[in-house]
Amino acid sequence: MYRVFEALDELVAIVEEARGVPMTAGCVVPRGDVLELLDDVRDAIPGELDDAQDVLDHRDKLVGDAREHAGQMVSSATAEADETLSSARSNADRILADAKDKADRMVAEAQAHAEQLVADAEDEAERTVSDARREYQDVTDRAAAEADRMVEAGRNARERAIAEGQAEQERLVSATEVVQAAHAESARVIDAAHAESDQLRTDCDLYVDNKLAEFEEFLTGTIRSVGRGRQQLRTGSGVPTYDDPEDRRSNRR
């Protein structure tokens, strides 16, 4: 490299000392000396510079190839991304459709199950009410029959007592004291018959009232069970239960 700079200095000195050409800005330089110095410069330039120029030329080619390859990669990546996005959208649409179909089936099944539960609960309530009505009618009929029987028995007992009193009164009517005693006994017997009849009616009313109270308690338990079952159906807390300890106690009674 020192020889390159030395030769360049000599060229500059030759140009500066060269004789000028009249009427022009040119000068006359010795061709042989200049060519010789240029050859020295050429020879003195290291081979690495030529290699560097080759590298620069090759770099431009590499840069061009890299840009072209990068463009191809970008195009390929864009196409692949579009294809992946399209596939993802298709999969998402398919999954969403499957999920919607499954949700619709589950909702339909839940509605059908709820409707079946409601229908079963209504049937059970109707059966319970029908049974309660039949039992109420049976209890009422039995209570009425028992009341009629007791009233009839009281009426018969009263009539017998009255008849016995009248017969006793007629038998003892000849004597005053006997008649008075007969009147007193007759009045006592009649009062006793009235008291027995009233007692029989009171017992009959008490019996009927007790039976109606038991039936009222049974109906109350049944209505409470039906209401609890409807509440469980509305809140979706599971299969309703229509039996509890109070209902079982009422049924046992």
Side-chain angles (χ1 to χ4, degrees):
M1 289 297 296
Y2 177 76
R3 177 56 186 161
V4 171
F5 293 113
E6 185 180 15
L8 291 175
D9 292 338
E10 291 180 2
L11 286 172
V12 171
I14 291 174
V15 172
E16 290 177 349
E17 295 175 357
R19 181 167 51 85
V21 177
M23 305 298 292
T24 65
C27 64
V28 178
V29 295
R31 178 182 298 173
D33 295 338
V34 171
L35 291 175
E36 183 178 356
L37 289 173
L38 290 174
D39 289 335
D40 292 340
V41 170
R42 181 182 297 166
D43 295 336
I45 292 175
E48 288 80 0
L49 293 178
D50 189 31
D51 295 337
Q53 185 62 41
D54 294 338
V55 170
L56 292 176
D57 295 339
H58 187 62
R59 182 200 63 179
D60 294 337
K61 183 177 182 303
L62 290 176
V63 169
D65 295 340
R67 288 177 178 173
E68 182 179 0
H69 183 65
Q72 293 176 355
M73 290 182 67
V74 169
S75 299
S76 177
T78 302
E80 185 176 357
D82 292 338
E83 183 179 358
T84 301
L85 180 61
S86 177
S87 177
R89 287 177 178 174
S90 299
N91 291 332
D93 293 339
R94 179 179 56 78
I95 293 173
L96 181 60
D98 293 341
K100 187 176 181 301
D101 293 339
K102 186 176 181 180
D104 292 339
R105 289 195 302 273
M106 293 178 67
V107 169
E109 291 175 358
Q111 289 178 348
H113 184 62
E115 291 174 356
Q116 183 63 39
L117 290 176
V118 171
D120 293 342
E122 291 177 350
D123 293 340
E124 182 67 22
E126 290 178 358
R127 287 195 299 272
T128 302
V129 171
S130 179
D131 294 341
R133 286 175 179 172
R134 286 195 299 272
E135 185 172 353
Y136 169 77
Q137 189 64 39
D138 293 339
V139 171
T140 304
D141 293 341
R142 289 196 301 271
E146 184 68 18
D148 293 339
R149 186 187 64 78
M150 295 178 71
V151 169
E152 184 65 24
R155 186 181 294 112
N156 294 332
R158 177 182 176 184
E159 291 177 354
R160 284 196 304 272
I162 292 173
E164 291 175 358
Q166 289 177 350
E168 186 68 18
Q169 182 181 9
E170 291 175 356
R171 188 178 63 83
L172 300 174
V173 73
S174 58
T176 303
E177 294 179 358
V178 174
V179 170
Q180 291 178 351
H183 278 294
E185 182 65 20
S186 176
R188 186 188 64 77
V189 171
I190 291 173
D191 291 338
H194 281 290
E196 184 178 359
S197 177
D198 293 338
Q199 182 63 37
L200 289 174
R201 183 174 293 276
T202 301
D203 294 341
C204 178
D205 292 339
L206 181 60
Y207 175 78
V208 173
D209 183 68
N210 289 333
K211 290 299 181 179
L212 291 177
E214 292 177 0
F215 183 68
E216 180 182 7
E217 185 178 1
F218 173 76
L219 284 181
T220 301
T222 301
I223 293 172
R224 185 168 57 251
S225 298
V226 172
R228 185 169 56 256
R230 293 182 63 193
Q231 179 65 25
Q232 290 177 353
L233 286 175
R234 286 195 295 268
T235 58
S237 59
V239 178
T241 58
Y242 299 99
D243 195 11
D244 60 10
E246 293 184 0
D247 295 338
R248 289 194 293 270
R249 286 197 297 271
S250 298
N251 293 333
R252 287 197 297 273
R253 284 198 292 272

